[in-house]
Amino acid sequence: MAKAWQIWADEPQAEGTLVKRAKKELPQMESTKQLVRILRPLYKPGMRVMDVGCNTGHYLRGILKLDENVRYTGVDAYAHYINQAKKIYRDFPNVQFHVKDVFKPLFPKNPADITYCCNVILHLPEFRAPLKNILASTTKVSIVRTLISDRATIVKAVEGDEFESNGEPKRFVYQNTYTPGMVRNFAKTLGWNAEFIEDEYNPKVLASEFGKLKANTGTNILGGRQVDANIIFNWKFIRLTRRG
Ligand SMILES: C[S@@+](CC[C@H](N)C(=O)[O-])C[C@H]1O[C@@H](n2cnc3c(N)ncnc32)[C@H](O)[C@@H]1O
């Protein structure tokens, strides 16, 4: 039985635009474009790349611009996304998709050179176990995009209008923000350095997608900052590399 925060478990439509992006029916997300820019100097042909929380594999469209023969593995906790991804990319021999929960070990015996996990960790109840599992399946560099700010906040964005008698929402989405220090210190205990990279996005694209594609839900722009309903989204990319 899915937990109250696991909205992707039984709402495959929760990320409706992503399947269209994977099929090239919609353009790449702004975060895909920046991820590709970050990976370009790090990637060398022959390297293995793993996308954690890949949904229907839409980031792969951007990664294929780095190398059309990229050795790519996408993992996501939910089979309905992975099955769609397998169908969309069935003609790509170097591409694999697997159902994997980031709270459990991924591929520690068969790690990837480069891993990335974008827009996932903010939605999980905590970041430490997922980050540990991602790094345990990475040999060189991992890129994580999540919410980072000077103050950590654990946020439950309520879905629907039903509550338990103790006041907990019956369904919600975590939109958690952590501080740079929390991530840096935890990464250090695992033997990794964490560097923070400013999120670059085109506010016009996000604002127009909010209206046109997302029917006035999801991330919008207010005063030049990204917001989702009541919450400011302080996105950062984190580059994690092994300590020397
Ligand atoms: C907001 S979507 C982001 C999808 C994609 N990474 C992107 O940036 O567009 C969150 C994704 O994380 C996946 N996910 C949620 N919990 C997960 C878990 N415990 N392990 C692996 N994937 C998970 C969801 O199924 C969903 O595809």
Side-chain angles (χ1 to χ4, degrees):
M1 166 87 178
K3 300 207 171 82
W5 58 271
Q6 289 173 318
I7 60 145
W8 295 274
D10 48 11
E11 288 179 30
Q13 73 286 6
E15 299 289 349
T17 57
L18 299 187
V19 69
K20 291 196 177 149
R21 294 190 203 270
K23 288 180 178 168
K24 296 209 277 191
E25 292 166 10
L26 284 176
Q28 294 306 300
M29 296 197 315
E30 292 296 285
S31 57
T32 307
K33 294 178 198 162
Q34 189 174 358
L35 175 70
V36 172
R37 287 197 293 277
I38 293 171
L39 292 183
R40 196 171 288 282
L42 303 171
Y43 177 81
K44 307 259 175 321
M47 281 185 169
R48 291 189 44 224
V49 176
M50 178 163 66
D51 177 349
V52 181
C54 66
N55 199 270
T56 51
H58 62 97
Y59 280 105
L60 178 52
R61 290 292 170 200
I63 304 298
L64 286 165
K65 293 200 173 120
L66 291 177
D67 180 354
E68 59 186 10
N69 296 313
V70 64
R71 298 166 70 201
Y72 166 100
T73 302
V75 300
D76 198 282
Y78 303 111
H80 44 251
Y81 296 130
I82 290 299
N83 292 340
Q84 286 185 78
K86 281 182 178 167
K87 225 186 256 175
I88 294 168
Y89 293 101
R90 64 183 161 241
D91 296 332
F92 289 77
N94 294 335
V95 167
Q96 311 176 11
F97 290 96
H98 299 277
V99 177
K100 288 267 177 190
D101 179 349
V102 72
F103 280 99
K104 299 192 179 133
L106 300 169
F107 294 102
K109 292 194 183 136
N110 192 15
D113 300 283
I114 295 178
T115 59
Y116 62 88
C117 178
C118 296
N119 314 345
V120 177
I121 284 184
L122 71 156
H123 297 306
L124 304 176
E126 63 107 10
F127 77 91
R128 288 176 180 81
L131 190 58
K132 188 172 177 188
N133 287 330
I134 292 167
L135 294 177
S137 291
T138 308
T139 58
K140 295 195 169 64
V141 56
S142 186
I143 307 293
V144 171
R145 183 179 191 252
T146 197
L147 304 181
I148 299 289
S149 190
D150 295 340
R151 176 99 192 255
T153 48
I154 301 300
V155 170
K156 295 175 181 176
V158 177
E159 299 266 306
D161 54 9
E162 291 186 64
F163 289 82
E164 306 289 356
S165 56
N166 65 1
E168 282 293 300
K170 284 202 173 169
R171 290 185 76 71
F172 63 89
V173 185
Y174 279 113
Q175 298 180 329
N176 295 340
T177 299
Y178 300 102
T179 68
M182 287 170 188
V183 176
R184 199 181 288 118
N185 292 341
F186 181 67
K188 201 169 167 185
T189 66
L190 302 174
W192 292 75
N193 279 322
E195 297 160 86
F196 297 84
I197 303 171
E198 283 307 313
D199 198 58
E200 295 163 4
Y201 59 91
N202 183 340
K204 284 194 189 135
V205 173
L206 290 192
S208 126
E209 288 194 343
F210 176 76
K212 285 194 206 138
L213 293 185
K214 300 182 181 165
N216 296 334
T217 61
T219 317
N220 196 6
I221 300 295
L222 196 65
R225 304 183 77 177
Q226 293 185 53
V227 294
D228 188 346
N230 303 319
I231 306 301
I232 294 176
F233 272 18
N234 290 301
W235 289 112
K236 289 270 192 300
F237 279 91
I238 312 167
R239 184 172 43 221
L240 295 130
T241 46
R242 281 185 188 279
R243 291 167 71 80

